[in-house]
Amino acid sequence: MNEVTIQQQSALPAVSHETQAIMQMIERVVLNPEADMDKLDKMLDMQERILNRNAKQAFTADLAAMQSELPLVGKAGEGHNKAKYAKLEDINEAIRPTLQKYGFAVTFRVKQTDKLLTVIAILSHRLGHSEDTDLMLPLDTSGSKNAVQAVGSTISYGKRYALCALLNISTGDDTDGNLPPQNTQPQQLPAKQKTPISDSKFAEVIARIKSGE
């Protein structure tokens, strides 16, 4: 069993006492030949609400913990007018270990009309709760793209931006935190060199002072 699997299993929340109590009640009702089916249905509904609530709480807690570990993704791609951007494959490669560590997975759905394409990014948690965000885009017909290439380009663009929005991923030039050294000491100007006064000049100054000049 590898380290990631051990981390996932150790992170799985224990079944709450509330859930255990509901399951025990359901079991007793099922085993009772005179069971009230309406009561059983209400218990099943209650159990589902509890499970959904616990799954959402676990999703939120793991998402908050994961956010601090998501890396900055460098802009290695070059697009129109040489604009830099983070490529989809680089984003996936950078975030996959952290997603797996906290029990998350990302999937996409695509919907298309005649002129618009919608990319839906879905973040699913191991306990079943999921959340999504969608991005509606016009087809990218720039350059000499044919119809198929326009769809493919738009999907790739939509996945990148929807994924970054869903996980709040930052992209930019990664300097590994190494900033140029800053000189915090005030800059000192070189001292002005003094030229010693000659004896003749000194005598001249004294003579002027005595004469009142």
Side-chain angles (χ1 to χ4, degrees):
M1 184 178 295
N2 57 37
E3 182 179 355
V4 174
T5 304
I6 294 175
Q7 289 176 341
Q8 289 178 344
Q9 289 183 350
S10 61
L12 286 173
V15 179
S16 68
H17 295 297
E18 189 177 20
T19 303
Q20 288 180 341
I22 293 295
M23 293 176 66
Q24 290 172 358
M25 293 175 60
I26 292 174
E27 184 178 0
R28 287 197 297 268
V29 172
V30 171
L31 295 176
N32 185 356
E34 299 179 358
D36 186 341
M37 297 307 298
D38 290 338
K39 182 183 294 187
L40 178 60
D41 288 339
K42 291 179 181 179
M43 288 182 179
L44 291 173
D45 290 340
M46 183 182 299
Q47 182 193 30
E48 184 177 0
R49 290 197 299 272
I50 292 173
L51 292 175
N52 289 339
R53 184 194 63 192
N54 292 345
K56 186 174 182 179
Q57 289 176 345
F59 177 98
T60 303
D62 281 340
L63 179 62
M66 181 180 67
Q67 286 285 349
S68 63
E69 297 185 23
L70 288 175
L72 174 71
V73 183
K75 295 183 177 181
E78 186 174 298
H80 184 62
N81 292 330
K82 297 185 178 181
K84 294 292 185 178
Y85 68 92
K87 297 188 291 184
L88 179 61
E89 55 267 33
D90 291 342
I91 297 174
N92 283 329
E93 187 68 22
I95 68 174
R96 185 177 290 112
T98 309
L99 288 173
Q100 185 178 9
K101 175 181 176 181
Y102 288 95
F104 287 101
V106 175
T107 55
F108 296 94
R109 292 201 307 267
V110 177
K111 298 179 180 179
Q112 184 180 354
T113 61
D114 291 340
K115 295 182 180 180
L116 294 175
L117 187 144
T118 301
V119 176
I120 306 168
I122 307 162
L123 180 65
S124 301
H125 190 250
R126 60 175 173 260
L127 292 187
H129 184 75
S130 63
E131 295 187 6
D132 60 69
T133 187
D134 58 86
L135 187 63
M136 185 177 295
L137 301 165
L139 292 178
D140 178 17
T141 57
S142 61
S144 57
K145 297 183 181 70
N146 59 36
V148 175
Q149 291 171 332
V151 171
S153 175
T154 307
I155 291 175
S156 178
Y157 182 95
K159 282 184 176 181
R160 286 192 286 112
Y161 280 87
L163 180 58
C164 289
L166 184 64
L167 296 177
N168 193 27
I169 296 172
S170 298
T171 62
D173 296 328
D174 190 356
T175 60
D176 293 330
N178 296 323
L179 297 178
Q182 299 292 328
N183 184 6
T184 57
Q185 298 296 327
Q187 185 177 5
Q188 296 181 351
L189 297 176
K192 186 176 180 180
Q193 294 183 353
K194 298 180 180 180
T195 303
I197 187 170
S198 63
D199 292 342
S200 59
K201 187 66 176 177
F202 180 76
E204 180 184 349
V205 172
I206 295 299
R208 286 185 178 182
I209 293 175
K210 289 181 177 180
S211 63
E213 293 182 4

